[in-house]
Amino acid sequence: MRVAVASDHAAVSLKATLVTWLREAGYDVLDLGPATDARVDYPDYGYRLADAIASGDAERGIALCGSGIGISIAVNRNPAVRCALVSDPLAAALSREHNDANAIAMGARLIGEDMAKACITAFLDTAFAGGRHAPRVDKLGAPDFQKEPA
């Protein structure tokens, strides 16, 4: 499985650690930057991550910034991507099982290295349950804002 990873300057250190860890675990990792902790704008890297998933260059994505909030919003601008902001393994697993998330976001200032690894493991090891969740996930990629809720 190819996993794309992107961050902003606040999370570049955590990103480097996670990229190394993922490669050692046998994943094909697409490191989308940045390479240094020089100030960058998280939307630029969130959009890069979303494009990698939407184009098929990566199957899953990991987005990191200081809080995880800003970059998750940027990633979710692409309708082909479902990015969940997570802070624990249960949320990461449920994002896959119920929402077929193809990306997760985490905040480097809010989550430790070990918890980040646990979240990633849960995210990468959990399959989408389908079933009753599938029609809801389909709606996420094609919102109809004029339609009355069922």
Side-chain angles (χ1 to χ4, degrees):
M1 176 186 306
R2 190 165 208 202
V3 180
V5 185
S7 73
D8 71 354
H9 57 280
V12 74
S13 178
L14 179 60
K15 178 182 69 71
T17 298
L18 296 175
V19 165
T20 299
W21 173 73
L22 285 163
R23 286 182 175 145
E24 288 172 355
Y27 290 96
D28 179 12
V29 179
L30 178 60
D31 185 345
L32 297 173
T36 72
D37 63 358
R39 187 192 161 286
V40 297
D41 295 330
Y42 60 80
D44 298 333
Y45 290 89
Y47 299 153
R48 237 183 235 187
L49 182 76
D51 287 344
I53 294 168
S55 70
D57 287 342
E59 295 168 71
R60 302 273 173 82
I62 300 166
L64 306 163
C65 71
S67 68
I69 298 167
I71 202 163
S72 70
I73 293 169
V75 173
N76 278 315
R77 296 285 185 205
N78 188 315
V81 183
R82 293 169 304 283
C83 181
L85 175 61
V86 302
S87 59
D88 62 74
L90 179 58
L94 289 172
S95 77
R96 286 285 309 132
E97 185 179 346
H98 291 186
N99 308 113
D100 199 18
N102 48 14
I104 56 170
M106 296 178 285
R109 294 179 178 142
L110 305 175
I111 196 165
E113 183 181 308
D114 289 338
M115 184 59 75
K117 289 177 181 178
C119 289
I120 293 168
T121 299
F123 173 67
L124 295 177
D125 288 351
T126 302
F128 177 48
R132 66 186 170 94
H133 303 289
R136 297 170 185 151
V137 171
D138 290 343
K139 288 181 180 183
L140 293 173
D144 183 354
F145 297 110
Q146 305 303 315
K147 189 174 181 179
E148 288 292 319

